[in-house]
Amino acid sequence: MLDDEEIDYLRFERVDTGTGSTDELLVEFPLPDQAVEYVRDRLDETGVTGRYLVTVRAESAQTERFAALEDRFITGTEEGDSISPEELRTTALSLHPDPMAYYAMTVISALVAVSGLLLDSAALVVGAMVIAPQVGSALTASVGAVMHDWSMLKRGVRAQFVSLSLAIVGSAVFGVVLQSIGSVSPVVHLETIAEVGERTSPGVLTLAVGIVAGSAGAVGLATALPVSLVGVMIAAALIPAAATVGIGLAWNAPSIAIGALVLLIANLVAVNASGYLTLRAFGYQSEDDTDFSAIRKAVVAIGLVALVVLTGATFTLQASFENEVNEAVNEALDEEEYEDLELVRTRTDFLFVPGSEPPGITVVVGRPADQSHPMLAETLGETISETTERDVAVRVEFVERQQYETGRVNVGTARGQGMELSRITNHWRN
């Protein structure tokens, strides 16, 4: 068969000295990763069996016909780019390190994320994503579900639950310590920190990060592409949200803690579900269901559907509320008295916090430096309340701009050189 497929190989025989016949036979042949599954199937078809089959990764291979195999299985289209199911399982398990190291790195990355969030530093938040090891447990769970390996699925799910719980607790404790030593004020307005605010109001765009991250991780794993870089994206969907939950607990801010927790759960479901569906799209499935009974299948399916429905409904209602807020803000700013104002951005707090104050809405607008709009917060608040039929707390932040052009000075909202910025906050609560 190997000669028919033009595969170079080495043959080692052990001869029985008593009979002179071949006692054992070892055959070694180099293949591109993408060709392993194809050759395994061809060996099964020809009836070649043996004690074991070992696949090891070689740094390089120099044989007469290896370049032709690369052209056939890598740059060509034959059999696609997927690796064998056995290699898929082994690779996924290898991404999940020793539990102690895994949990320790998760907590460390969460503490770095807390620092980045409170300092409003995107660089530190990205650094937390880089060192977070979440890709291993996420892909382990997805592969376990696809291969019907209950122990593998359970290991991946347990690792995600425990590690993210530790990340939340560690972040909360770290936040309390920062307050006790005076590094961060206990009365700081977390809503005004952009990096924190981005993780407290779940929306369709934030959920898309989890879906794309899980799918990208599965593609990288199935095609033998580097998964480490994809791991940063999976961590981006999980670690900052977990750290924000801890910050909300430390500062006794229910809207922040619950909003970030909903985002964390939704992204966790999205990562695992999209990873599973992507692997199924590549054609991976198990032929042995002995470790995955019908009851276990039903439990996994019901749990996943329940989480998807619950988070999906929450995201839908939150997205609808945000759309109504944006429409109300645009309607109010279209009034003639506000024609010189420029909407910069709108941020809406998480809506569903039992027993909490009305959801907060932050509206940032640019205005000419020589103008004042003391009633804008009240106008926006009334318009938003009328549109959404909800009580709201509106915060307006004014960004004043000056522009200089050679030969003349214009004071206005246009962006340009020589810009001077100041921020004035105006509150309105219904």
Side-chain angles (χ1 to χ4, degrees):
M1 189 278 289
L2 295 178
D3 288 328
D4 294 339
E5 296 291 342
E6 298 184 348
I7 298 174
D8 297 313
Y9 61 91
L10 294 176
R11 175 187 176 120
F12 302 92
E13 297 181 358
R14 193 181 78 169
V15 179
D16 189 332
T17 55
T19 63
S21 61
T22 299
D23 183 42
E24 290 185 353
L25 178 66
L26 174 65
V27 180
E28 294 182 357
F29 45 92
L31 295 171
D33 289 337
Q34 293 80 356
V36 173
E37 185 175 7
Y38 172 79
V39 173
R40 282 179 54 91
D41 293 340
R42 291 285 288 115
L43 289 173
D44 292 339
E45 292 172 3
T46 55
V48 176
T49 59
R51 286 190 187 177
Y52 53 82
L53 176 66
V54 179
T55 303
V56 296
R57 189 173 298 278
E59 293 297 329
S60 63
Q62 296 180 355
T63 65
E64 293 181 359
R65 296 180 289 190
F66 192 78
L69 292 176
E70 291 179 321
D71 293 338
R72 177 179 171 187
F73 289 98
I74 298 179
T75 60
T77 58
E78 186 168 354
E79 294 299 315
D81 294 328
S82 60
I83 61 179
S84 65
E86 291 77 12
E87 189 176 356
L88 180 79
R89 183 179 184 278
T90 302
T91 304
L93 289 174
S94 67
L95 293 173
H96 189 39
D98 176 75
M100 291 303 297
Y102 175 81
Y103 296 138
M105 287 301 295
T106 299
V107 173
I108 291 172
S109 66
L111 299 186
V112 175
V114 169
S115 301
L117 291 168
L118 293 177
L119 291 173
D120 203 13
S121 171
L124 283 177
V125 176
V126 172
M129 303 171 191
V130 172
I131 64 176
Q134 262 51 53
V135 61
S137 58
L139 293 180
T140 296
S142 297
V143 172
V146 169
M147 303 305 296
H148 292 175
D149 188 329
W150 177 254
S151 62
M152 191 173 179
L153 172 62
K154 184 170 63 175
R155 177 183 181 183
V157 172
R158 181 176 62 243
Q160 292 178 82
F161 177 79
V162 174
S163 63
L164 292 175
S165 298
L166 290 174
I168 292 173
V169 173
S171 299
V173 172
F174 188 43
V176 172
V177 171
L178 292 175
Q179 295 179 54
S180 64
I181 64 178
S183 294
V184 183
S185 172
V187 295
V188 65
H189 293 288
L190 298 175
E191 298 87 354
T192 63
I193 304 176
E195 287 292 332
V196 175
E198 291 176 2
R199 275 87 188 181
T200 59
S201 182
V204 176
L205 293 179
T206 53
L207 180 62
V209 174
I211 296 174
V212 174
S215 181
V219 170
L221 180 66
T223 57
L225 295 175
V227 184
S228 56
L229 293 178
V230 180
V232 177
M233 191 170 185
I234 291 179
L238 303 176
I239 291 300
T244 305
V245 176
I247 291 174
L249 295 175
W251 267 265
N252 193 25
S255 62
I256 289 177
I258 296 178
L261 181 61
V262 171
L263 175 62
L264 175 63
I265 294 174
N267 277 341
L268 188 62
V269 173
V271 166
N272 287 271
S274 61
Y276 169 81
L277 293 175
T278 301
L279 291 175
R280 286 301 303 267
F282 271 86
Y284 292 105
Q285 58 182 348
S286 174
E287 298 178 356
D288 184 10
D289 292 352
T290 57
D291 195 33
F292 215 81
S293 64
I295 296 178
R296 287 175 174 174
K297 289 181 182 179
V299 170
V300 173
I302 293 173
L304 187 60
V305 170
L307 286 173
V308 169
V309 171
L310 180 61
T311 55
T314 303
F315 268 72
T316 300
L317 293 174
Q318 179 71 18
S320 176
F321 178 68
E322 291 181 356
N323 289 337
E324 292 178 349
V325 169
N326 291 331
E327 291 177 2
V329 171
N330 290 328
E331 179 184 345
L333 294 181
D334 284 340
E335 297 293 332
E336 184 177 353
E337 60 181 307
Y338 301 125
E339 62 181 0
D340 291 332
L341 298 183
E342 175 187 337
L343 178 62
V344 178
R345 67 175 178 271
T346 302
R347 186 171 67 243
T348 305
D349 290 346
F350 187 58
L351 180 62
F352 307 98
V353 182
S356 69
E357 298 180 351
I361 298 169
T362 301
V363 181
V364 182
V365 295
R367 69 176 180 183
D370 60 345
Q371 293 186 13
S372 176
H373 298 86
M375 302 301 294
L376 178 59
E378 181 176 351
T379 301
L380 289 173
E382 292 175 349
T383 306
I384 293 172
S385 293
E386 182 180 350
T387 302
T388 63
E389 298 181 352
R390 292 179 180 273
D391 292 338
V392 295
V394 176
R395 178 188 302 109
V396 177
E397 296 178 1
F398 293 101
V399 180
E400 297 182 350
R401 299 185 178 92
Q402 292 182 344
Q403 178 178 333
Y404 170 79
E405 295 181 8
T406 302
R408 63 177 181 175
V409 176
N410 292 327
V411 179
T413 60
R415 296 181 175 87
Q417 297 179 345
M419 183 182 296
E420 297 179 2
L421 300 179
S422 63
R423 176 164 291 175
I424 303 173
T425 303
N426 191 359
H427 295 269
W428 182 89
R429 174 164 294 173
N430 187 24

